């Protein structure tokens, strides 16, 4: 519940470029970024379907975004190149359920375009969300639920 921002590949590329050249169009301090390219809203909706995109594609940008203040990331799938940045900058990676974009959109109470309109679905948006169902996948100490869960499963099924 709270304020989050949307961004995907093209939006991250712009934000990283601007963090090196000038001020970002939003204050990334303690921000959470949702890796999503929502579909257009139908009449009466705040936003269209808003399911997570594959997070690994943002690993090239996540360390820079965390270095300028972002602390939370929401997406789906494994992370590879950003786990050390999570530990260094005390970031947290939250998993959202892929394939549940319509359900997740119901948690979005307000959506505002704030930059990069020319990027369409990848434009930067500010969202107000309520009770969004997320899981901590990688915490600020680098503990990774995907790795821990796999290890636990394998240990429990050694004799199978």
């Amino acid at each position: 519940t709270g304020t989050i921002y949307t961004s995907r590949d093209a939006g991250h590329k712009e934000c990283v470029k601007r963090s090196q050249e000038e001020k970002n169009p939003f204050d990334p301090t303690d921000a959470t970024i949702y890796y999503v390219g929502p579909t257009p809203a139908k009449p009466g909706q705040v936003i269209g379907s808003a399911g997570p995109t594959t997070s690994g594609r943002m690993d090239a940008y996540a360390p820079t975004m965390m270095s300028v203040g972002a602390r939370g990331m929401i997406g789906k799938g494994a992370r590879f190149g950003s786990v050390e940045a999570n530990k260094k900058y005390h970031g947290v990676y939250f998993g959202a359920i892929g394939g549940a974009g319509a359900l997740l959109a119901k948690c979005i109470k307000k959506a505002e375009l704030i930059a990069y309109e020319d990027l369409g679905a990848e434009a930067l948006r500010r969202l107000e969300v309520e009770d969004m169902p997320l899981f901590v996948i990688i915490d600020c100490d680098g503990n990774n639920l995907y790795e821990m869960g796999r290890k636990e499963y394998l240990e429990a099924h050694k004799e199978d």
Side-chain angles (χ1 to χ4, degrees):
T1 298
T3 301
I4 61 176
Y5 296 88
T6 69
S7 191
R8 284 184 37 162
D9 312 57
H12 269 75
K13 185 176 181 179
E14 278 300 311
C15 284
V16 165
K17 183 175 105 180
R18 289 179 187 242
S19 72
Q20 296 166 349
E21 299 172 357
E22 59 185 77
K23 188 173 180 172
N24 269 308
F26 75 108
D27 181 3
T29 304
D30 296 328
T32 296
I33 301 172
Y34 183 21
Y35 303 146
V36 63
T39 63
K42 293 179 183 172
Q45 293 181 326
V46 171
I47 200 165
S49 183
T53 195
T54 304
S55 301
R57 294 196 326 260
M58 266 40 83
D59 280 348
Y61 309 110
T64 300
M65 292 305 296
M66 284 188 271
S67 78
V68 297
R71 293 294 174 261
M73 299 150 287
I74 303 169
K76 70 176 180 183
R79 303 304 295 265
F80 304 100
S82 64
V83 177
E84 288 304 312
N86 272 41
K87 293 191 292 189
K88 181 177 181 178
Y89 299 110
H90 306 286
V92 177
Y93 170 52
F94 298 96
I97 299 169
L103 174 65
L104 291 166
K106 291 179 181 184
C107 299
I108 300 169
K109 304 307 177 187
K110 183 178 179 185
E112 175 187 5
L113 177 70
I114 59 172
Y116 317 138
E117 184 174 9
D118 58 311
L119 297 179
E122 292 199 38
L124 185 64
R125 292 174 173 78
R126 179 183 301 116
L127 305 180
E128 296 297 328
V129 299
E130 190 174 292
D131 297 329
M132 191 173 224
L134 304 171
F135 302 90
V136 174
I137 302 296
I138 303 172
D139 68 16
C140 63
D141 293 322
N143 296 307
N144 186 328
L145 183 63
Y146 292 140
E147 291 173 2
M148 294 164 41
R150 179 178 170 78
K151 182 180 176 185
E152 186 177 308
Y153 176 84
L154 290 173
E155 286 176 7
H157 293 88
K158 279 182 185 178
E159 298 174 18
D160 289 352

